[in-house]
Amino acid sequence: MRQVFGRPKSLTDAPTHYCPGCSHGIIHRLIAEVIDELDVRENTVGIAPVGCGVLAYDYFDCDFVEASHGRAPAVATGIKRTVPDSVVFCYQGDGDLASIGAAEIIHAATRGEKITVVFVNNATYGMTGGQMAPTTLLGQKTTTSPRGRDAGSAGYPIRVAELLSSLSGVAYISRVSVTSPANVIKAKRALKEAFKVQINKKGFSLVEFLSTCPINWGMSPLEAMKWVDEKMSVYYPLGDYTQVPEVSR
Amino acid sequence: MSEKVLMKGNEAIAEGAILAGCRHFFGYPITPQNEIPEYMSRRMPEVGGVFLQAESEVAGGNMVYGAACAGARVMTTSSSPGISLMQEAISYMAGAELPCVLVNIVRGGPGLGGIQGAQSDYFQATKGGGHGDYRLIVLAPSSVQELMDLTIEAFDLADIYRNPVMILGDAILGQMMEPVVLRERSKINLPPKTWATIGAKGRPKNIISSLRLDPGELEKHNLALQEKYKRITDEQVRYTTYMASDAETLLVAYGTSARVAQAAIDMARERGLKAGLFRPVSLWPFPYDDLKTIALGSRRVLTVEMSHGQMIEDVRLAILGGRPIHFYCRTGGMTPTPREVLNEIERIVEEGI
């Protein structure tokens, strides 16, 4: 009997700790499939964040480093500058990347570090229990914005893909979601492109995933997927954001 | 290679690192240590190494973490406020048992403080600094030659014990010029870095993490760290003495203070006062036992520091009331003069305490 579907080699068989309906599992799988298809598992070093992805090193079957909160791009820089032929990817959430690690991501991007960042934006701090994130939408209720995020006191959600796309060191940025089979296929294509850009030493690459957090959003998994399509994707439009002309790079 | 060259302290650290095989340097500018990143930015490309100016000390410390994960001989240097910012990475590196060399060219504090030399980061360096139960190996040079030699050795110690090593200097040592002999590093057998995360080719994956969510596991990890620290304490205590064997007044000082103390001891001896010096070179592990033995051979102890009394706590712990312990300091970037220290020696001798 021919096997047509199975676990990617780059994933371990450890059961994940992710909540039902959370997109981390799909995103993990897509990363593992891309690593397998590019045949770089033995060459890859992943950087886990602080946040729900903190235990990612248990789920991927490649070398892994756990970084402090927000510093994954700096840690990745240290690794990549030591082993230039390795494939280095950071797995970061929105609090990690867009709040406490804002400086590290901007400078890794502007230096054109040849790393790939998987940015998981679920508009909340999942692991600590659903506090307001830098990407929490206006009006969105969280445990630290109980009346809904108010721009007057909490400011506006950050559009990371757009923000970073202005930097000349960036070679590829895309924003994707995994709310439908069609979106999953597009997301995987973007992810593969991001890894290829790194392997071809073109510069910094990042894929922003709009992701779900049904538990902290207080929704069913299905409602959460719908909320990504109807709310998040409006403020955070999907697509490629690499607009820096080649000539300026 | 045994030529004598005139070098600035900061440059001696940088060239010492190169001699030790350091090929990765990450840092952020801060006075009074800027000669080190400047030197490295010039020198690293010549030896095929990596120099990278980080966006902050927070990032720089974490780049060191990354390079250490990948098995590099890696260094960063900074001064007091910058070292405070690096404490996150330092705690993580201690927890993940990563070898690296950190240099603190100390300036006066607290806060932004000033840019003149001080010794007010002793607690931060030797008692923790960052969060958690960990130790750095802390070495305190007192000459430009020693800045170079201890920097070279620091890389080996870091690799042997898989632990961050800190060179604790100060602005005076960093900025002064002295002749230095460039020595070949004596080759020693170092453990292979089989734990490094460079890709899992032909082996099971390596994971480097300081996270242990199971408290039992974390306790076990801490016990293993403590065992390592005990081994370092047994093997790496370092100090020097000067006219200490017949000293009635034993001065205890490190780094720049020790140089001042030594000059004061010469002046005291000319006046017939039997003074001597005990100079800890390893501030952690602190030479408790040796200091106790030598101090009990004297009548009194005088600790001289450029802080309001930080190392003196270890001096007290060593001597445990066995002798009276006096204290003299200048701080905020002020340096004690040999005359001031001599006056203090004369005062405590006259008072018969």
Side-chain angles (χ1 to χ4, degrees), chain B residues 77-102:
Chain B
T77 63
S78 189
S79 180
S80 309
I83 297 289
S84 293
L85 283 172
M86 280 180 201
Q87 292 305 327
E88 172 191 77
I90 294 174
S91 167
Y92 277 66
M93 288 191 283
E97 297 194 81
L98 291 170
C100 67
V101 174
L102 316 157

PDB file of all heavy atoms in Angstrom, chain B residues 77-102:
ATOM      1  N   THR B  77      31.781  43.525  24.975  1.00  0.00           N
ATOM      2  CA  THR B  77      32.360  44.405  25.988  1.00  0.00           C
ATOM      3  C   THR B  77      31.427  45.591  26.175  1.00  0.00           C
ATOM      4  O   THR B  77      30.703  45.961  25.262  1.00  0.00           O
ATOM      5  CB  THR B  77      33.745  44.923  25.559  1.00  0.00           C
ATOM      6  OG1 THR B  77      33.590  45.721  24.374  1.00  0.00           O
ATOM      7  CG2 THR B  77      34.693  43.777  25.265  1.00  0.00           C
ATOM      8  N   SER B  78      31.450  46.150  27.362  1.00  0.00           N
ATOM      9  CA  SER B  78      30.589  47.290  27.627  1.00  0.00           C
ATOM     10  C   SER B  78      31.077  47.985  28.900  1.00  0.00           C
ATOM     11  O   SER B  78      32.153  47.680  29.411  1.00  0.00           O
ATOM     12  CB  SER B  78      29.132  46.830  27.781  1.00  0.00           C
ATOM     13  OG  SER B  78      28.273  47.944  27.832  1.00  0.00           O
ATOM     14  N   SER B  79      30.296  48.928  29.365  1.00  0.00           N
ATOM     15  CA  SER B  79      30.567  49.564  30.645  1.00  0.00           C
ATOM     16  C   SER B  79      29.265  49.599  31.432  1.00  0.00           C
ATOM     17  O   SER B  79      28.180  49.479  30.856  1.00  0.00           O
ATOM     18  CB  SER B  79      31.125  50.974  30.426  1.00  0.00           C
ATOM     19  OG  SER B  79      31.381  51.579  31.671  1.00  0.00           O
ATOM     20  N   SER B  80      29.376  49.846  32.688  1.00  0.00           N
ATOM     21  CA  SER B  80      28.314  49.641  33.689  1.00  0.00           C
ATOM     22  C   SER B  80      26.850  49.719  33.214  1.00  0.00           C
ATOM     23  O   SER B  80      26.127  48.728  33.340  1.00  0.00           O
ATOM     24  CB  SER B  80      28.567  50.595  34.845  1.00  0.00           C
ATOM     25  OG  SER B  80      29.920  50.446  35.258  1.00  0.00           O
ATOM     26  N   PRO B  81      26.374  50.880  32.693  1.00  0.00           N
ATOM     27  CA  PRO B  81      24.949  50.917  32.309  1.00  0.00           C
ATOM     28  C   PRO B  81      24.634  49.892  31.222  1.00  0.00           C
ATOM     29  O   PRO B  81      23.535  49.318  31.207  1.00  0.00           O
ATOM     30  CB  PRO B  81      24.760  52.344  31.768  1.00  0.00           C
ATOM     31  CG  PRO B  81      25.879  53.135  32.326  1.00  0.00           C
ATOM     32  CD  PRO B  81      27.041  52.178  32.448  1.00  0.00           C
ATOM     33  N   GLY B  82      25.589  49.664  30.329  1.00  0.00           N
ATOM     34  CA  GLY B  82      25.391  48.678  29.264  1.00  0.00           C
ATOM     35  C   GLY B  82      25.373  47.269  29.808  1.00  0.00           C
ATOM     36  O   GLY B  82      24.614  46.409  29.337  1.00  0.00           O
ATOM     37  N   ILE B  83      26.196  47.009  30.817  1.00  0.00           N
ATOM     38  CA  ILE B  83      26.207  45.674  31.430  1.00  0.00           C
ATOM     39  C   ILE B  83      24.869  45.412  32.127  1.00  0.00           C
ATOM     40  O   ILE B  83      24.357  44.296  32.120  1.00  0.00           O
ATOM     41  CB  ILE B  83      27.394  45.531  32.411  1.00  0.00           C
ATOM     42  CG1 ILE B  83      28.734  45.664  31.667  1.00  0.00           C
ATOM     43  CG2 ILE B  83      27.316  44.214  33.173  1.00  0.00           C
ATOM     44  CD1 ILE B  83      29.105  44.503  30.760  1.00  0.00           C
ATOM     45  N   SER B  84      24.296  46.460  32.715  1.00  0.00           N
ATOM     46  CA  SER B  84      22.964  46.285  33.324  1.00  0.00           C
ATOM     47  C   SER B  84      21.975  45.796  32.278  1.00  0.00           C
ATOM     48  O   SER B  84      21.170  44.897  32.536  1.00  0.00           O
ATOM     49  CB  SER B  84      22.460  47.608  33.921  1.00  0.00           C
ATOM     50  OG  SER B  84      23.250  47.977  35.023  1.00  0.00           O
ATOM     51  N   LEU B  85      22.040  46.381  31.080  1.00  0.00           N
ATOM     52  CA  LEU B  85      21.112  45.977  30.013  1.00  0.00           C
ATOM     53  C   LEU B  85      21.366  44.550  29.541  1.00  0.00           C
ATOM     54  O   LEU B  85      20.485  43.915  28.985  1.00  0.00           O
ATOM     55  CB  LEU B  85      21.239  46.939  28.827  1.00  0.00           C
ATOM     56  CG  LEU B  85      20.554  48.276  29.022  1.00  0.00           C
ATOM     57  CD1 LEU B  85      20.903  49.227  27.893  1.00  0.00           C
ATOM     58  CD2 LEU B  85      19.041  48.113  29.103  1.00  0.00           C
ATOM     59  N   MET B  86      22.575  44.049  29.719  1.00  0.00           N
ATOM     60  CA  MET B  86      22.908  42.703  29.251  1.00  0.00           C
ATOM     61  C   MET B  86      22.518  41.614  30.244  1.00  0.00           C
ATOM     62  O   MET B  86      22.693  40.437  29.955  1.00  0.00           O
ATOM     63  CB  MET B  86      24.412  42.580  29.031  1.00  0.00           C
ATOM     64  CG  MET B  86      24.871  43.163  27.738  1.00  0.00           C
ATOM     65  SD  MET B  86      26.656  42.949  27.623  1.00  0.00           S
ATOM     66  CE  MET B  86      27.010  44.207  26.420  1.00  0.00           C
ATOM     67  N   GLN B  87      22.021  42.006  31.402  1.00  0.00           N
ATOM     68  CA  GLN B  87      21.802  40.995  32.453  1.00  0.00           C
ATOM     69  C   GLN B  87      20.829  39.907  32.002  1.00  0.00           C
ATOM     70  O   GLN B  87      20.943  38.753  32.420  1.00  0.00           O
ATOM     71  CB  GLN B  87      21.323  41.641  33.750  1.00  0.00           C
ATOM     72  CG  GLN B  87      22.381  42.517  34.422  1.00  0.00           C
ATOM     73  CD  GLN B  87      23.685  41.810  34.700  1.00  0.00           C
ATOM     74  OE1 GLN B  87      23.703  40.614  34.985  1.00  0.00           O
ATOM     75  NE2 GLN B  87      24.796  42.518  34.608  1.00  0.00           N
ATOM     76  N   GLU B  88      19.861  40.272  31.156  1.00  0.00           N
ATOM     77  CA  GLU B  88      18.935  39.261  30.648  1.00  0.00           C
ATOM     78  C   GLU B  88      19.711  38.137  29.955  1.00  0.00           C
ATOM     79  O   GLU B  88      19.593  36.964  30.308  1.00  0.00           O
ATOM     80  CB  GLU B  88      17.963  39.913  29.661  1.00  0.00           C
ATOM     81  CG  GLU B  88      17.088  38.921  28.934  1.00  0.00           C
ATOM     82  CD  GLU B  88      16.330  39.567  27.795  1.00  0.00           C
ATOM     83  OE1 GLU B  88      16.926  39.825  26.731  1.00  0.00           O
ATOM     84  OE2 GLU B  88      15.144  39.840  27.976  1.00  0.00           O
ATOM     85  N   ALA B  89      20.518  38.521  28.974  1.00  0.00           N
ATOM     86  CA  ALA B  89      21.265  37.516  28.211  1.00  0.00           C
ATOM     87  C   ALA B  89      22.235  36.762  29.118  1.00  0.00           C
ATOM     88  O   ALA B  89      22.432  35.554  28.959  1.00  0.00           O
ATOM     89  CB  ALA B  89      22.018  38.179  27.063  1.00  0.00           C
ATOM     90  N   ILE B  90      22.829  37.452  30.074  1.00  0.00           N
ATOM     91  CA  ILE B  90      23.816  36.810  30.950  1.00  0.00           C
ATOM     92  C   ILE B  90      23.143  35.708  31.783  1.00  0.00           C
ATOM     93  O   ILE B  90      23.648  34.588  31.902  1.00  0.00           O
ATOM     94  CB  ILE B  90      24.517  37.851  31.851  1.00  0.00           C
ATOM     95  CG1 ILE B  90      25.371  38.799  30.984  1.00  0.00           C
ATOM     96  CG2 ILE B  90      25.390  37.163  32.909  1.00  0.00           C
ATOM     97  CD1 ILE B  90      25.989  39.959  31.736  1.00  0.00           C
ATOM     98  N   SER B  91      21.975  36.026  32.329  1.00  0.00           N
ATOM     99  CA  SER B  91      21.250  35.020  33.112  1.00  0.00           C
ATOM    100  C   SER B  91      20.878  33.817  32.237  1.00  0.00           C
ATOM    101  O   SER B  91      21.026  32.657  32.650  1.00  0.00           O
ATOM    102  CB  SER B  91      19.992  35.654  33.726  1.00  0.00           C
ATOM    103  OG  SER B  91      19.133  34.651  34.232  1.00  0.00           O
ATOM    104  N   TYR B  92      20.403  34.091  31.019  1.00  0.00           N
ATOM    105  CA  TYR B  92      20.043  32.997  30.104  1.00  0.00           C
ATOM    106  C   TYR B  92      21.266  32.150  29.750  1.00  0.00           C
ATOM    107  O   TYR B  92      21.180  30.925  29.647  1.00  0.00           O
ATOM    108  CB  TYR B  92      19.400  33.548  28.823  1.00  0.00           C
ATOM    109  CG  TYR B  92      17.917  33.830  28.968  1.00  0.00           C
ATOM    110  CD1 TYR B  92      17.465  34.830  29.823  1.00  0.00           C
ATOM    111  CD2 TYR B  92      16.970  33.121  28.255  1.00  0.00           C
ATOM    112  CE1 TYR B  92      16.116  35.103  29.959  1.00  0.00           C
ATOM    113  CE2 TYR B  92      15.605  33.395  28.380  1.00  0.00           C
ATOM    114  CZ  TYR B  92      15.194  34.377  29.239  1.00  0.00           C
ATOM    115  OH  TYR B  92      13.848  34.649  29.371  1.00  0.00           O
ATOM    116  N   MET B  93      22.410  32.817  29.526  1.00  0.00           N
ATOM    117  CA  MET B  93      23.617  32.065  29.152  1.00  0.00           C
ATOM    118  C   MET B  93      24.112  31.229  30.324  1.00  0.00           C
ATOM    119  O   MET B  93      24.568  30.101  30.136  1.00  0.00           O
ATOM    120  CB  MET B  93      24.708  33.016  28.649  1.00  0.00           C
ATOM    121  CG  MET B  93      24.372  33.582  27.281  1.00  0.00           C
ATOM    122  SD  MET B  93      25.749  34.452  26.504  1.00  0.00           S
ATOM    123  CE  MET B  93      25.724  35.985  27.386  1.00  0.00           C
ATOM    124  N   ALA B  94      24.004  31.778  31.526  1.00  0.00           N
ATOM    125  CA  ALA B  94      24.392  30.999  32.699  1.00  0.00           C
ATOM    126  C   ALA B  94      23.466  29.793  32.831  1.00  0.00           C
ATOM    127  O   ALA B  94      23.907  28.672  33.089  1.00  0.00           O
ATOM    128  CB  ALA B  94      24.343  31.873  33.952  1.00  0.00           C
ATOM    129  N   GLY B  95      22.160  30.026  32.602  1.00  0.00           N
ATOM    130  CA  GLY B  95      21.173  28.951  32.715  1.00  0.00           C
ATOM    131  C   GLY B  95      21.359  27.882  31.649  1.00  0.00           C
ATOM    132  O   GLY B  95      21.219  26.693  31.913  1.00  0.00           O
ATOM    133  N   ALA B  96      21.683  28.321  30.429  1.00  0.00           N
ATOM    134  CA  ALA B  96      21.845  27.372  29.319  1.00  0.00           C
ATOM    135  C   ALA B  96      23.277  26.855  29.248  1.00  0.00           C
ATOM    136  O   ALA B  96      23.599  26.089  28.343  1.00  0.00           O
ATOM    137  CB  ALA B  96      21.454  28.041  28.008  1.00  0.00           C
ATOM    138  N   GLU B  97      24.132  27.286  30.155  1.00  0.00           N
ATOM    139  CA  GLU B  97      25.541  26.865  30.225  1.00  0.00           C
ATOM    140  C   GLU B  97      26.273  27.118  28.910  1.00  0.00           C
ATOM    141  O   GLU B  97      26.771  26.197  28.259  1.00  0.00           O
ATOM    142  CB  GLU B  97      25.647  25.394  30.635  1.00  0.00           C
ATOM    143  CG  GLU B  97      25.098  25.143  32.034  1.00  0.00           C
ATOM    144  CD  GLU B  97      25.506  23.785  32.551  1.00  0.00           C
ATOM    145  OE1 GLU B  97      26.635  23.641  33.038  1.00  0.00           O
ATOM    146  OE2 GLU B  97      24.684  22.854  32.439  1.00  0.00           O
ATOM    147  N   LEU B  98      26.308  28.380  28.548  1.00  0.00           N
ATOM    148  CA  LEU B  98      26.977  28.766  27.307  1.00  0.00           C
ATOM    149  C   LEU B  98      28.274  29.506  27.621  1.00  0.00           C
ATOM    150  O   LEU B  98      28.287  30.410  28.455  1.00  0.00           O
ATOM    151  CB  LEU B  98      26.049  29.655  26.482  1.00  0.00           C
ATOM    152  CG  LEU B  98      24.835  28.932  25.908  1.00  0.00           C
ATOM    153  CD1 LEU B  98      23.848  29.925  25.321  1.00  0.00           C
ATOM    154  CD2 LEU B  98      25.254  27.904  24.861  1.00  0.00           C
ATOM    155  N   PRO B  99      29.363  29.125  26.937  1.00  0.00           N
ATOM    156  CA  PRO B  99      30.626  29.813  27.156  1.00  0.00           C
ATOM    157  C   PRO B  99      30.688  31.132  26.400  1.00  0.00           C
ATOM    158  O   PRO B  99      30.309  31.189  25.228  1.00  0.00           O
ATOM    159  CB  PRO B  99      31.662  28.829  26.582  1.00  0.00           C
ATOM    160  CG  PRO B  99      30.916  27.973  25.623  1.00  0.00           C
ATOM    161  CD  PRO B  99      29.453  28.024  25.965  1.00  0.00           C
ATOM    162  N   CYS B 100      31.133  32.179  27.073  1.00  0.00           N
ATOM    163  CA  CYS B 100      31.360  33.458  26.401  1.00  0.00           C
ATOM    164  C   CYS B 100      32.201  34.318  27.323  1.00  0.00           C
ATOM    165  O   CYS B 100      32.343  34.018  28.509  1.00  0.00           O
ATOM    166  CB  CYS B 100      30.039  34.173  26.100  1.00  0.00           C
ATOM    167  SG  CYS B 100      29.178  34.713  27.575  1.00  0.00           S
ATOM    168  N   VAL B 101      32.769  35.371  26.757  1.00  0.00           N
ATOM    169  CA  VAL B 101      33.560  36.299  27.570  1.00  0.00           C
ATOM    170  C   VAL B 101      32.898  37.671  27.535  1.00  0.00           C
ATOM    171  O   VAL B 101      32.555  38.183  26.469  1.00  0.00           O
ATOM    172  CB  VAL B 101      35.017  36.372  27.076  1.00  0.00           C
ATOM    173  CG1 VAL B 101      35.785  37.448  27.837  1.00  0.00           C
ATOM    174  CG2 VAL B 101      35.693  35.020  27.247  1.00  0.00           C
ATOM    175  N   LEU B 102      32.687  38.236  28.719  1.00  0.00           N
ATOM    176  CA  LEU B 102      32.066  39.537  28.887  1.00  0.00           C
ATOM    177  C   LEU B 102      33.084  40.453  29.548  1.00  0.00           C
ATOM    178  O   LEU B 102      33.779  40.024  30.465  1.00  0.00           O
ATOM    179  CB  LEU B 102      30.835  39.429  29.796  1.00  0.00           C
ATOM    180  CG  LEU B 102      29.898  38.250  29.530  1.00  0.00           C
ATOM    181  CD1 LEU B 102      29.080  37.913  30.778  1.00  0.00           C
ATOM    182  CD2 LEU B 102      28.965  38.603  28.378  1.00  0.00           C
TER     183      LEU B 102
END
